[in-house]
Structures are given as structure tokens and as C-alpha cells.
Amino acid sequence: MPPSKPYSPTLQLPSPPPSAPLIDLPQPGAPSFTRQLYATLARAPSLNGWIPDPSLFSTLLLALIVKQGGVLVDAPKKSARAAGKEAVTILRCIFGLEPIVVRCDETTDPTSFARAITCESAGRRDRPITTPSRKASRLSRMERSATSSFLGRLSESPARMSEHEAERRASGRRPSSGDRLDRSCKAKEIDIASRPIAQAIVIRGLERAGATVAMELVENLNRGWIEYAGVQRDLRDALVVWVRADGKEAPFWLVDEFACSVSLPDAETPPELEPAALVPPAYLLDLRNLLDFTHVHPPLHTHMTNLLSSLILHPRLSATITARASKSLGALVRAHRLLQGDFELPARWVTELRRWARSAEIPLHHAGGKYAGGRGGVDTWARRAGEKPDVADLRGEGAGEDEGGDDWYALPRNVAGVWVSAFRHRVKFRQRGDESLWVLVGSARERAWGGGRGKTKDRSREIEDALEEMLGVV
């Protein structure tokens, strides 16, 4: 394979801000691509010698590429603040995003939570959002009454939710606290409509807030927007990062919103740096589009299915595996293979990839075009049949058949590379006596086993060990 060339986005695509000089990023497909990218960014002058945590950086990079959910960051309580600041710094000073920082505590309610996301300036909030007049007993009653019907509301479509709101207004029922106008925003003369769409949201203390706040977050993420004071915010492209202190357990419907997780036992507060897009948006977009050119062999797909089955049937672990979790695993495996590199791309891959991406944006129900052939035209037939693109689509007209090498496929080591990150936050220990097949396979030592009780750090480490053990058995 010829040596990799520096990657440079074309002029018509978004460019980094003036404070972030262009640096030569490695081309996708280069051997040890992620290591090269990390080393290049660590030497960037704008970081002033600061070196980001490699685990957090690679996990955020995975999440930005696959776009299948957020990132859950586990940190000890004493270093949770530093972990949140490091996540914000990576997003702002490496990926060029403007995260909204939200800090919750026991007094946070859905109204103040929605106000923090909608009204606050990006990167400005690092104090608790509170409700001084809210009593803890009233919050508990709200949580108990809302939890029973929450799972059913998750399956409702945005259109159905709008019908409910229309019915509420037509009937004259009293609106909830989240429907009231924000007097504080009026007092501060905040022009909410002029604020940018949320690119990223970093939340600390969500585990301390009530269940109603978590419901507010999940409902807004599922419908793709949040509304407060009559203004809607688009959340479809927002990356949500939850910094969880001491690994406190959370309900499955909440952790299902996070595609992967990472543990930061010793986070340190980063220095104050200027915002910069060291990784340009065009670079991330090209990596995201190359996911469709990264393939999974049927035997490897069977291997992933067997891993999921073994996780569900594990005698000591309890996990709720949703369709979203299964889909996220496949995307993360392909992204891990893409970031591993060691494949060759044609000379004109950038131009052809962006041309293919534009054509792939045509809706399947579009009936225009020069040729007849039913709904969508012949250009959509291959996509409708499930055909995946290959490296030949990146060569362009007039290129040789051997140019650009062969297609690249995910390998078992790519599954192993993301397995723990994809499921460590979705798994918990079964309660004592609930182990499946207890009478048939449970030994005396296993019956005396404490079910993962003890310090949170030890329990998290035991879960990771059990997940890694599964990789060697299945």
C-alpha cells in the first residue's frame, strides 16, 4: 500500500474557524488511522500542549461517526466535574462543536431542565438548575404517577404528540409547568429564536435528578426537538454526553439513549482553550459516509448475534437488549473497522464519495427523474433492494478496475474493540437468587456469591471482566 497522504477538505465545504489553522490529518484507510489522528491532534498548537484522554476522545469520535445515540461517561464523584470539562473541551476545541452544559441536582424539574437546554448560551452553564419552591414530596408523587405511563408514551409518534397537545388546548385543560412562558427569559431579554441549534449537550448530575427529568430528556430526544417558551429546538443532530458520578444505576429506557460509554477514573481539569475545529465538519462527514462502504461478513453477523444471546441468557448478568442496542452494535463495529484503517482508497474517492452521498439523499418516494420505472425511479431500485455500495463506486469514470484496492470488512477484533463500550452501561448484576438455571448449574460457591454488591468501582470492573470473558467463550 502506498504511504498515506494528508487529508485536505475541498474549498466548497465548511472550513474551520480562523483560530484553528488547518493541520494535515491522516487520510482514512491509513494504517493505525486513529493513532495517527490522535497524535496529529495532540501536536496541534491551539491545544497548548494539552493531551486529551485517549479513551474519551476515541469514544466521542465513534459516537460522532455512527450517530446512533449519545455517550455515557462514568467518573468518580470527586472527578465528575473534571470529566465533564474534559468532554466539553474535546467537543469545543477539537471537533468545533458548541456544547450546552447542564448541571442537575435533586431540585431540578422538567421545566428548568428544558429552559437550560433552550435558553442558556452554549458552554456557559456550570451551576445547578434548581426549583426553589418545589417540594421533594411533590416531586416523588409526580415521579410515581408519571413512570407508569411513560413507556407507552415513548412509542408515540411526534404527530400523535401534537394531536394530544391540540386536544389539551381545545379542552381548556390547565397546562403543565413546561407549557408556561419563561418570565426569566423575558426579564433578561433573551432572544431565544436567534440561538443556534444545539450541536452537543453535556449533562452532569442527571442521576441525582428525578425520574421526570430523565423522561423529559428521553421524550425530547425521541421526537427530535424540545420546546420551551413557545420556541422549538432541533435535537436530531445533537450529541448528548451524560457524565454520571459513581456509576449509579439507571433505568433501561434512559441508558438506551446512549450508544456507548467510557470510564474515566482519574480525570483532570483541562486548561482554558480557544474554540477550534481541528477536525473539520467535512472530515467527520466523509468518515460517516464511508461507514456504508464498510461491510460485515454474514459469519461475523452471526457471531454478534450469538454474543447478544449469551448476554441475555447470562446467569449472573441482567441486560435489556433493545432493537436500538443491536443496531448500534453493528454500526459501532463498522466504525471501529473504519477507524482501524489499513485499506486503500481510490485517487478520486473524496469527489466520488460526496457525489454518492448527494445521490443517496434522494428520498425513496421521489418520483422525478428522466427514467420511468415506478416509485422512486431506477436510481432508487438498488437502495430499495438493500444493495450496499462498494469501493468500485469511489473510482469514478475511466478508472482502472484495480484502482483503490478491495472492499474492507469488519473482523472479530473489531467486535472485541467495541463490545465492552457498547454494553457495559446496559448491564447490571442479577439480584441474589434470580440467576437463571440456578438449580441446574449453580454451585455452592456461586450461590454464596454476593451478586455484585460492594463498591461501585468494583462492581463496574466485575461487569467489564464478565463482558470480556464472554468474548473468549462465544
Side-chain angles (χ1 to χ4, degrees):
M1 178 183 299
S4 60
K5 300 179 180 179
Y7 177 93
S8 58
T10 55
L11 296 177
Q12 66 268 23
L13 290 167
S15 57
S19 59
L22 285 172
I23 57 178
D24 291 334
L25 301 179
Q27 175 176 298
S32 302
F33 169 76
T34 305
R35 290 187 179 182
Q36 289 193 38
L37 177 62
Y38 179 79
T40 302
L41 295 173
R43 295 192 299 266
S46 62
L47 297 184
N48 296 333
W50 175 67
I51 300 178
D53 183 87
S55 299
L56 181 58
F57 167 77
S58 58
T59 305
L60 292 174
L61 179 61
L62 274 174
L64 288 171
I65 291 176
V66 301
K67 285 287 186 178
Q68 294 287 341
V71 175
L72 199 160
V73 180
D74 280 324
K77 185 177 181 179
K78 61 180 180 180
S79 60
R81 179 184 177 92
K85 285 184 173 294
E86 182 157 6
V88 170
T89 303
I90 292 177
L91 293 173
R92 293 180 71 239
C93 303
I94 293 182
F95 295 109
L97 303 179
E98 281 297 331
I100 296 175
V101 182
V102 180
R103 182 182 171 190
C104 306
D105 60 13
E106 295 84 353
T107 63
T108 303
D109 70 347
T111 305
S112 56
F113 184 77
R115 181 176 67 242
I117 295 178
T118 308
C119 302
E120 290 296 329
S121 301
R124 294 295 182 183
R125 174 171 288 280
D126 195 23
R127 61 186 185 277
I129 47 178
T130 61
T131 309
S133 61
R134 184 74 66 183
K135 294 183 179 180
S137 59
R138 187 178 179 186
L139 279 174
S140 300
R141 290 195 300 269
M142 291 173 59
E143 293 168 12
R144 288 194 297 267
S145 62
T147 303
S148 59
S149 60
F150 174 65
L151 295 180
R153 298 203 306 272
L154 285 182
S155 61
E156 294 181 351
S157 64
R160 187 64 178 171
M161 292 177 185
S162 300
E163 292 175 5
H164 287 172
E165 177 64 16
E167 292 174 2
R168 184 197 65 75
R169 296 181 180 181
S171 63
R173 292 196 304 270
R174 182 180 178 183
S176 63
S177 58
D179 298 323
R180 300 191 182 100
L181 293 177
D182 180 22
R183 296 179 181 177
S184 64
C185 283
K186 287 185 176 181
K188 297 178 182 179
E189 297 181 353
I190 297 178
D191 185 7
I192 305 175
S194 65
R195 297 198 179 279
I197 296 175
Q199 299 175 336
I201 304 173
V202 178
I203 305 174
R204 287 203 300 119
L206 183 61
E207 68 281 358
R208 300 172 58 193
T212 53
V213 177
M215 295 175 191
E216 177 77 9
L217 173 63
V218 174
E219 286 186 359
N220 291 325
L221 291 177
N222 275 271
R223 67 185 179 182
W225 51 272
I226 186 172
E227 182 176 1
Y228 185 79
V231 178
Q232 295 182 1
R233 285 281 172 252
D234 194 341
L235 300 179
R236 289 174 296 179
D237 290 331
L239 174 67
V240 179
V241 179
W242 173 19
V243 181
R244 181 174 63 174
D246 293 335
K248 184 178 179 181
E249 291 185 354
F252 77 91
W253 47 262
L254 176 58
V255 298
D256 196 43
E257 296 296 325
F258 300 90
C260 48
S261 63
V262 61
S263 178
L264 295 183
D266 301 311
E268 297 181 358
T269 303
E272 294 293 335
L273 301 173
E274 291 296 325
L278 299 179
V279 179
Y283 193 82
L284 275 178
L285 183 59
D286 287 341
L287 289 173
R288 193 175 303 141
N289 289 331
L290 282 174
L291 270 186
D292 289 328
F293 295 81
T294 307
H295 307 288
V296 176
H297 278 297
L300 187 62
H301 181 77
T302 303
H303 175 60
M304 291 189 291
T305 304
N306 292 338
L307 280 173
L308 293 176
S309 300
S310 64
L311 180 57
I312 295 173
L313 300 175
H314 198 281
R316 296 183 299 173
L317 302 180
S318 174
T320 303
I321 306 301
T322 62
R324 182 173 186 173
S326 178
K327 182 180 179 181
S328 298
L329 176 61
L332 290 170
V333 169
R334 290 187 292 119
H336 191 274
R337 174 65 185 92
L338 176 65
L339 295 178
Q340 177 187 340
D342 201 15
F343 56 85
E344 186 178 356
L345 290 170
R348 292 184 291 177
W349 72 272
V350 176
T351 302
E352 296 301 325
L353 176 66
R354 293 169 183 170
R355 180 183 301 172
W356 172 86
R358 288 192 297 269
S359 64
E361 292 176 356
I362 301 175
L364 291 177
H365 62 269
H366 180 66
K370 178 179 178 181
Y371 302 101
R375 184 181 182 185
V378 295
D379 291 337
T380 65
W381 285 359
R383 279 197 294 145
R384 189 178 294 277
E387 181 179 332
K388 297 295 183 181
D390 55 29
V391 72
D393 297 320
L394 300 178
R395 292 172 183 151
E397 298 181 1
E401 296 183 358
D402 297 333
E403 181 182 342
D406 301 324
D407 294 325
W408 56 95
Y409 288 81
L411 302 171
R413 64 171 175 266
N414 302 124
V415 179
V418 300
W419 175 248
V420 175
S421 177
F423 288 99
R424 61 181 296 276
H425 60 295
R426 302 178 185 271
V427 174
K428 60 183 179 180
F429 283 107
R430 298 183 186 272
Q431 296 297 324
R432 180 181 297 178
D434 290 344
E435 285 82 348
S436 58
L437 302 180
W438 184 261
V439 177
L440 296 179
V441 300
S443 64
R445 183 186 64 84
E446 290 171 335
R447 295 178 189 180
W449 184 65
R453 297 180 180 180
K455 295 183 178 180
T456 304
K457 181 178 179 181
D458 296 337
R459 184 167 66 249
S460 177
R461 181 66 257 178
E462 289 179 10
I463 288 177
E464 294 177 5
D465 291 341
L467 290 173
E468 293 174 355
E469 181 183 359
M470 292 172 58
L471 294 172
V473 175
V474 177

